[in-house]
Amino acid sequence: MDTTITSALPSASTLDLGVGGMTCASCVSRVERALKKVPGVQDATVNLATESARVVFAPSDDAEARIRRAVRNAGYEPRAVEAAATEDLSPWAGFGPVAAGAVLSLPLLLPMLGGMHAALPAWLQFLLATPVQFLLGARFYRAGWHALKAGSGNMDLLVAIGTSAGWTLSMWLWLARGQQHLYFEASAVVITLVLLGKWLEARAKRQTTAAIRALQSLRPETAHVLQRDGSEADLPLAEVLAGDRLAVRAGERVPADGVIEQGETQVDESMLTGEPLPVAKGVGARLTGGSINGEGRVVLQATAVGSESVLAHIIRLVEDAQAAKAPIQRLVDQVAAVFVPVVLAIAAITLAGWLLTGSGIEVALVHAVAVLVIACPCALGLATPAAIMAGTGVAARQGILVKDAQALELAHRVDTVAFDKTGTLTVGQPRLVAFVAAPGVDEATALAAAASVQSGSEHPLARAVVAAAQERGLSVVAADAVRAVPGRGTEADDYLIGSLRWMQELGVSLEPVRDEVDRLQGEGATLSALVQRVTDGLALRALLAFADEPKAGAAEALAALRARGLRLVLISGDNRAAALVMGRRLGLAPEEIQAEVLPGDKSARVAALRAGGHVVAMVGDGVNDAPALAAADVGIAMGTGTDVAMHAAGITLMRGDVGLVEGALDISRRTVHKIRQNLFWAFAYNVAGIPLAALGYLSPVVAGAAMAASSVSVLTNALLLKRWSLRHSPPARG
């Protein structure tokens, strides 16, 4: 199947479709126009680097057929996106036509290169050049004809017209005038050079898509499924179901996401998270499909398979980012829409101008051909997508997933970074460090009651309470009618447990434990209170104090961000005293800390930070961070957090390393820099090359070589991003 149908909007589906035959930015523009004219199509984005289209459309019985027909009618071949994965990826794939062109063209060029005045006989020039022109160059005629039928032009049309003019001029000079000095070599060499350029371009394109292929190769083909009798049955991965028990032997890739039931091992997760060191895993630990098992055999229960797995989610994120069109591409689209007609007009003016100067048809036509040949919309079409693909690909290998091109383009402009605290800057596994029973209250009874209320919650503080009760051997029975109160705590029929702010709102007096409140807050603990419903209201039963630890390297990561000139802000729901203590441990100043912020108010705080034109990144990991992530210019979610946070964010960090935040901003800066470099040189090349050709300073052969080099240089420049790594990221920027 070549479709990926997802629910983009209630009335919209998405189709990913390969588009064969595209050669330049003009092709991209024409395919997009054709797709957007299809009834029901809401949006269409075409990527030259991947030769694919992503179409958002209203579902109907014949919608996909109409979309494919529109691509074909525009002169291109609709195909499965998976077709690229089956292409020959060897270094010399597709080199045959280039080699044939070189063999036939070189004899035509040797007299010129060797300074020989005597050219080859005209009949021999004709025999060598004609197969190059009409057999090897047939692709240019086909694509150019399709462009003409669609009422537009492309690079192939320019090459076809230019080389045909040179070949026709040579035939006329030979047959009508009997000349031996002809221009067959120009047409043949131009076609050969363009073919060489397209071959080099295809090789470079394959390198830009290497990240996707590497991720897709992580999926093993089979899984060892344990049967009821304990035997193993090797089944195709597509037949594995959630709930199956799978055996993973030493050195094998984990076939699906799951939880270890038996065994211990070390797991290499570097391709998924960028973490270079193996991670110890035992019973109860989660495994991610695609990671590599170490020396131990383990048995896991599959929890997510196929499109629901973490690996599939990562691949979708990378594909989405590489399929998206960056906002900076709009200028290219506007130029591409008029590029070929303008070049044809300039070539006509060049022809007329040289004729008017009395230079003769031969000289005038050669200069007009040079104009047609040197014009290169290919470089313009590849400048942005090649850089985005290279940047997002290398970022993914380092554990940084970019959701879309807009987030990538915005991130380099960030001047303010706001952080959630728990699970983002801290380990996120708080411990119950103090449990203070109110006067006259039995401590064990109160702790058991608190654990019962919290037993059904996944909140880190709730897990800490339950763990503390279990460590003391207390019986924990789930309370009845438990209800979470967002941003405040949890209540049941008999008890409530939550923040001191909530207790104050409820009118609960904390005077019986006031001294302990002041002492523990001064030590930086996060405080909660347990109260019980009684006849005349609510009675305080206990004070709970929690402590968390900063993540390893978090303080250094924040210092590195500050060294880049970024403003840092910690937004926490903790009381101010606790937030200040943790802030000091992280190297944050008091003015950089916003405490006692309810989850629902975080997005408002982010909006306030954006006031005055500031570009704000929000870093978080929890469900209550999702609105703030969405409210920021760039949301950055810790992949160790929740799916909700990851969906709301433009960038996902696949491991809980705060240092990846700096890496995300740096790869954005470098990618945007490459895009701007590519666009500058692509525009500069055409702005300089076309006038030089029109004025007679460039021969068609030199023009052909320059055109081939322009696309390759743009792709090569983009591929320099593949050398980027977190370890070589510069520590500071002014």
Side-chain angles (χ1 to χ4, degrees), residues 383 672-682 714 717 720:
V672 171
H673 184 61
K674 285 297 180 189
I675 291 173
R676 289 174 175 169
Q677 280 183 341
N678 284 349
L679 289 177
F680 171 80
W681 288 113
V714 162
N717 187 46
L720 293 176

Side-chain angles (χ1 to χ4, degrees), residues 396-477:
R397 287 195 294 274
Q398 298 288 333
I400 301 169
L401 299 183
V402 182
K403 184 177 180 180
D404 53 48
Q406 184 171 358
L408 186 70
E409 190 173 328
L410 264 177
H412 84 285
R413 294 169 45 203
V414 165
D415 57 28
T416 302
V417 184
F419 289 90
D420 169 54
K421 182 176 74 68
T422 304
T424 301
L425 294 177
T426 66
V427 176
Q429 297 177 351
R431 297 173 293 106
L432 183 65
V433 294
F435 187 85
V436 182
V441 176
D442 179 70
E443 182 177 317
T445 302
L447 180 55
S452 295
V453 175
Q454 299 281 47
S455 61
S457 174
E458 290 299 315
H459 193 282
L461 298 184
R463 291 199 297 267
V465 174
V466 174
Q470 291 174 340
E471 287 175 4
R472 299 193 190 186
L474 301 177
S475 176
V476 179
V477 180

